[in-house]
Amino acid sequence: MPATVDLVIRPDAPHRDDVLALLEEHLADMYATSPPESVHALDPSGLVGPGLTFWTARDAGGALLGCAALKELAPDDGELKSMRTATAARGRGVGSALLAHVLAEATARGYRTLHLETGTQDFFAPARRLYERHGFVPCAPFGAYGEDPSSAYYRRVLTA
């Protein structure tokens, strides 16, 4: 597939119809590939509120290409949540663009670290490779997470 051109990333509402469909697909995949107790993806209502910012990536025509959220864990620490690229947009750099956007926002907010949780199953291998290419390294469980063989935890130091 060709690289994404004219990608627009903006704050958005997770309750828009096209976003709801993408998030439903995301949750369905999470439950299809992970034990229920290991699914930590947020539903649309969990993506609004204090300490959470939700973005969508759209093409120049407004078609939804992906989404991501940033959750504040502490004044100097954040967590990447609900990152998803639409199936038709995979392989076009949408995930990298969203991740770069969230990293820039986390840095602008003064976060020292950005954490994330993803799955250990083969389904999540492309996501783990993406995070590692962007400087994330494996870490211990953080925040309210505990040891879980179905979860991989990562962090990236943003400032020294």
Side-chain angles (χ1 to χ4, degrees):
M1 266 188 195
T4 299
V5 181
D6 297 327
L7 181 71
V8 178
I9 299 173
R10 291 193 179 122
D12 208 341
H15 290 96
R16 291 177 63 172
D17 288 343
D18 59 349
V19 178
L20 284 172
L22 182 64
L23 292 173
E24 286 172 10
E25 176 186 287
H26 181 60
L27 286 168
D29 280 347
M30 299 306 99
Y31 282 103
T33 56
S34 300
E37 66 275 9
S38 297
V39 175
H40 303 290
L42 297 175
D43 65 19
S45 64
L47 291 168
V48 293
L52 263 159
T53 305
F54 179 80
W55 294 274
T56 55
R58 296 179 181 274
D59 68 15
L64 180 62
L65 303 175
C67 65
L70 178 59
K71 177 181 179 182
E72 183 171 295
L73 299 176
D76 63 350
D77 191 17
E79 179 182 3
L80 175 68
K81 295 294 293 182
S82 299
M83 189 153 137
R84 178 72 174 202
T85 299
T87 302
R90 292 196 181 140
R92 296 170 49 193
V94 174
S96 287
L98 278 164
L99 186 53
H101 183 85
V102 173
L103 285 165
E105 180 63 26
T107 300
R109 291 180 185 186
Y111 292 169
R112 290 186 176 171
T113 55
L114 185 63
H115 286 89
L116 65 90
E117 179 275 339
T118 191
T120 57
Q121 298 82 359
D122 288 345
F123 176 84
F124 299 98
R128 292 191 305 268
R129 286 192 300 271
L130 172 69
Y131 300 136
E132 290 167 4
R133 279 195 314 270
H134 283 267
F136 284 84
V137 295
C139 68
F142 59 91
Y145 295 105
E147 290 293 335
D148 182 347
S150 295
S151 289
Y153 305 100
Y154 286 86
R155 75 181 188 119
R156 179 171 161 182
V157 175
L158 303 175
T159 60

